[in-house]
Amino acid sequence: MRLSGMLLHTTREVPADAEVISHQLMLRAGMIRQVAAGIYMILPMGYKVLKKVENIIREEMDRAGAQEMLMPALNPAELWIESGRWNVYGKELIRLKDRRGRDFCLGPTHEEMFTDLIRKEIRSYRSLPLNLYQIQTKFRDEYRPRFGIMRGREFLMKDAYSFDTDDEGADASYKSMYEAYTLIFKRCGLRFRAVEADSGPIGGSVSNEFMVLAESGEDEIVHCVACDYASNVTKAETLEVDYPAGEQSRPMEKVHTPEMKTVDEVCRFLKVTSKELVKTMIYLADDTPLAVLVRGDHMVNEAKLLNFSGAQELKMADSAAIQKITGGPEGFSGPVGLEGIKVIADLAVKGLKNFVTGANENDYHLLSVNIGRDFEVHDFQDLRLLEADDPCPRCGSTLTIEKGIEVGHVFKLGTKYSQALKATFQDAQGEEKLIIMGCYGIGVGRSMAAAIEQNHDEDGIIWPMPIAPYHVYILPVSMKDGEVLSAAEDIYSACIEAGLEAIIDDRDERAGVKFKDADL
RNA sequence: CGGGGCGUGGCGCAGCCUGGUUAGCGCGCUUGCUUCGGGAGCAAGAAGUCGGAGGUUCAAAUCCUCUCGCCCCGACCA
């Protein structure tokens, strides 16, 4: 490629809207251009890289036996209504009507489409297993698009779906995708970690995320220094906590705590640590109230709570609801004397004695509260967010927490979609059975951005070779010096001849300008 | 959606508080001359509905109201 003929504008100044380094550098290097929030044009230099990432993905998917195809982005609503996700997906789903008023959406993911294809195509176990994938534009109306191409409303994704006759087959498909992903991200020059993850609204039982380690990451991941345990913190398990034995129960006592609502205020006022206090949070799980107890220094993990409750939606009760349920104002809730509500407690609360709680009465708290004597807990569950000083749930060693960018996610879906859409096959005995599914996604543009996050210096991007837009950069320092120029041209021709991806900066610019652009 | 901030040539900003004639500056762009091994100098030039609508006023980028867009901080996802 000759730079003189390329659509490429680099900038000296950092665009004001760009926060993270990959976004800044992509803009400065003239690879992308914003159209609207979370919507970008991919310019020639950027597309060059994106296609390389795509091709690496394609090669490894094909090697793993998956078949590429292409689904429409425009999905009729019927399929989504049938799977139940037309309602569940919420505002993130971009919906539209055609000229006759028929409902459609722009696909944010394609479980429905692929399952629909398979239920129509597949009758016999003889046609299985299958693994189909596509690299296609997805649409999600994100609450908050940000970080450039990293979280867009329109983005390129590779999504694959596996279809098996039994669990063993599904496990094998999952494993082969897991391995393919490992190869893909290695080839993209990324430093990453595969972690256990919550499967969220996609559903299914088991899932792993592939996390690129970077400070700008939106996720926190935890891993054990001793064993190979690694997990997203939203999924990470926490254990029961051992408290010193032999502490005697003291009589419960009500104390005046004027205007003391937060854990910090109460602790300071009563001169106790947050570990000696139990927070009572009132949640509404699909309108069923739940009282959730966690230690004062802990945070409720809403993903765990949601899974435990089995509800579709979980939200914290507002102050009016709290007043109604507990009889006291927000900030003074406690488990003692609560009626008509299920009380569940985090495992760390189980062995705790003589703790502080709200009294369900304005400006009062209770001291020396004890489970079993003062109130009953209906269920003890792992309900909290893991903290940095928690031990590894597998081996008890120390954990470290890092930030990561989720570039890939693999799920074992089981029969969630095959059941909803009735995708069945006949086994060798002629019996009708549900197909076992898995699904596997990679954010293509996100992987590209993640590569920049990890590989750059103060002057620009340092592409890992496999995804570099060009491999040879020829920079004639002078366009006036005929000797330099013809030598440069000779090298360029030789590179092209040899099949190398070369770029020559044949613009009549000063050397400094060219060097700066080359760095970017 | 809640909270905060910003919309002024392609990009980065000043001007607004305290209304006043031709709306400035830097980068980039065009032309010429001089330069030329790490973002050159001089000169000339093109380019702006001051996000939009309404209002106040003799007069609005500036004050008021509404509206749209964008960015940042919190719950989700590739």
Side-chain angles (χ1 to χ4, degrees):
Chain A
M1 184 71 208
R2 294 178 173 276
L3 252 189
S4 61
M6 192 167 188
L7 173 68
L8 183 71
H9 279 106
T10 58
T11 66
R12 190 186 303 236
E13 276 159 315
V14 180
D17 288 345
E19 192 76 5
V20 299
I21 190 73
S22 60
H23 189 198
Q24 293 176 356
L25 287 172
M26 273 194 257
L27 286 167
R28 286 194 54 208
M31 293 196 282
I32 57 172
R33 189 167 186 131
Q34 188 179 36
V35 177
I39 303 174
Y40 288 85
M41 296 175 174
I42 311 286
L43 306 181
M45 190 62 90
Y47 197 43
K48 192 90 179 137
V49 177
L50 201 65
K51 280 190 293 188
K52 294 232 171 162
V53 177
E54 252 184 59
N55 278 329
I56 290 173
I57 294 171
R58 200 167 269 131
E59 282 171 25
E60 295 302 332
M61 291 301 291
D62 290 346
R63 197 201 305 276
Q67 302 168 63
E68 185 172 15
M69 56 172 291
L70 187 61
M71 284 295 188
L74 203 54
N75 290 207
E78 287 76 20
L79 277 177
W80 287 76
I81 291 168
E82 203 177 340
S83 73
R85 288 207 293 181
W86 183 258
N87 292 323
V88 174
Y89 224 94
K91 288 189 185 162
E92 213 168 304
L93 191 63
I94 298 183
R95 296 153 210 258
L96 50 143
K97 287 182 193 295
D98 70 6
R99 65 205 298 163
R100 292 187 206 134
R102 187 178 169 200
D103 287 312
F104 286 86
C105 67
L106 292 174
T109 171
H110 279 71
E111 283 78 14
E112 281 80 358
M113 272 278 158
F114 276 93
T115 310
D116 182 54
L117 169 73
I118 289 302
R119 70 175 167 182
K120 287 171 177 156
E121 292 290 325
I122 299 300
R123 296 271 82 95
S124 158
Y125 73 97
R126 290 172 193 271
S127 322
L128 294 173
L130 273 175
N131 188 336
L132 301 169
Y133 78 99
Q134 62 172 343
I135 296 175
Q136 187 220 32
T137 302
K138 296 285 186 275
F139 299 85
R140 294 183 190 174
D141 201 353
E142 293 277 350
Y143 330 78
R144 184 146 93 86
R146 58 181 147 171
F147 302 157
I149 207 180
M150 203 109 85
R151 175 181 297 277
R153 293 194 289 175
E154 175 176 334
F155 61 99
L156 199 60
M157 173 162 127
K158 188 281 313 181
D159 48 325
Y161 304 85
S162 66
F163 303 89
D164 283 275
T165 55
D166 52 28
D167 288 331
E168 293 73 52
D171 287 349
S173 296
Y174 186 83
K175 187 157 174 274
S176 111
M177 282 297 100
Y178 187 101
E179 283 162 5
Y181 275 36
T182 303
L183 288 172
I184 288 166
F185 296 126
K186 269 193 187 145
R187 282 184 65 186
C188 289
L190 295 168
R191 280 170 285 117
F192 66 96
R193 205 184 291 286
V195 303
E196 294 179 15
D198 189 71
S199 36
I202 304 278
S205 51
V206 175
S207 93
N208 285 98
E209 289 169 332
F210 287 78
M211 293 287 192
V212 168
L213 305 176
E215 258 315 297
S216 59
E218 297 180 81
D219 289 273
E220 292 200 319
I221 57 179
V222 60
H223 85 275
C224 176
V225 296
C227 70
D228 59 0
Y229 182 72
S231 174
N232 192 308
V233 290
T234 60
K235 167 78 177 178
E237 300 154 36
T238 61
L239 305 171
E240 238 178 89
V241 177
D242 287 329
Y243 296 99
E247 189 180 343
Q248 293 301 312
S249 303
R250 292 190 297 270
M252 188 168 81
E253 191 183 340
K254 188 153 114 181
V255 290
H256 190 53
T257 50
E259 299 289 321
M260 302 292 154
K261 291 186 180 184
T262 67
V263 170
D264 277 354
E265 288 164 359
V266 175
C267 287
R268 218 174 305 127
F269 185 76
L270 295 174
K271 302 206 167 40
V272 295
T273 68
S274 55
K275 288 184 169 46
E276 300 165 75
L277 185 141
V278 169
K279 286 190 280 198
T280 304
M281 324 277 281
I282 309 295
Y283 277 91
L284 295 174
D286 290 344
D287 301 328
T288 307
L290 275 178
V292 180
L293 309 188
V294 295
R295 222 170 63 185
D297 58 323
H298 288 154
M299 306 260 290
V300 174
N301 182 330
E302 296 190 354
K304 287 180 184 173
L305 184 58
L306 185 66
N307 287 339
F308 166 74
S309 71
Q312 292 281 5
E313 200 193 12
L314 187 73
K315 55 176 191 250
M316 283 181 82
D318 58 24
S319 42
I322 290 173
Q323 181 76 43
K324 197 168 158 221
I325 293 163
T326 70
E330 191 173 10
F332 295 96
S333 298
V336 180
L338 280 187
E339 276 175 27
I341 181 170
K342 196 168 175 188
V343 178
I344 53 176
D346 178 63
L347 293 174
V349 174
K350 199 167 183 180
L352 203 59
K353 286 188 170 165
N354 298 320
F355 47 85
V356 176
T357 72
N360 296 322
E361 188 180 331
N362 196 24
D363 294 346
Y364 282 95
H365 277 80
L366 298 174
L367 295 185
S368 304
V369 176
N370 285 283
I371 299 170
R373 184 192 66 184
D374 306 321
F375 70 99
E376 293 299 331
V377 170
H378 297 111
D379 214 337
F380 285 100
Q381 287 289 329
D382 172 12
L383 292 173
R384 68 183 173 93
L385 219 49
L386 178 131
E387 308 277 332
D389 56 359
D390 274 312
C392 171
R394 292 291 140 74
C395 73
S397 300
T398 313
L399 295 173
T400 58
I401 294 184
E402 303 163 289
K403 289 195 164 173
I405 302 165
E406 182 192 352
V407 290
H409 201 159
V410 293
F411 300 83
K412 278 189 199 176
L413 291 175
T415 56
K416 174 171 171 166
Y417 295 92
S418 48
Q419 189 154 33
L421 300 178
K422 298 182 189 64
T424 58
F425 67 97
Q426 282 196 338
D427 68 8
Q429 282 71 46
E431 219 177 301
E432 186 109 343
K433 284 191 169 161
L434 288 172
I435 296 175
I436 316 287
M437 291 175 58
C439 79
Y440 318 93
I442 292 179
V444 183
R446 189 126 117 191
S447 299
M448 170 178 165
I452 299 173
E453 289 291 327
Q454 281 191 340
N455 303 285
H456 63 85
D457 61 18
E458 60 277 15
D459 288 318
I461 303 161
I462 305 164
W463 290 112
M465 209 45 161
I467 60 170
Y470 294 94
H471 292 157
V472 183
Y473 200 110
I474 302 155
L475 193 155
V477 290
S478 166
M479 297 301 285
K480 299 288 183 300
D481 187 329
E483 230 175 294
V484 169
L485 196 55
S486 69
E489 287 290 351
D490 287 348
I491 296 168
Y492 179 64
S493 314
C495 286
I496 298 299
E497 202 83 4
L500 292 172
E501 293 180 283
I503 189 162
I504 181 167
D505 192 346
D506 57 342
R507 297 172 302 171
D508 188 11
E509 286 288 353
R510 313 182 86 235
V513 174
K514 295 184 177 186
F515 284 129
K516 287 291 181 193
D517 281 350
D519 286 334
L520 275 174

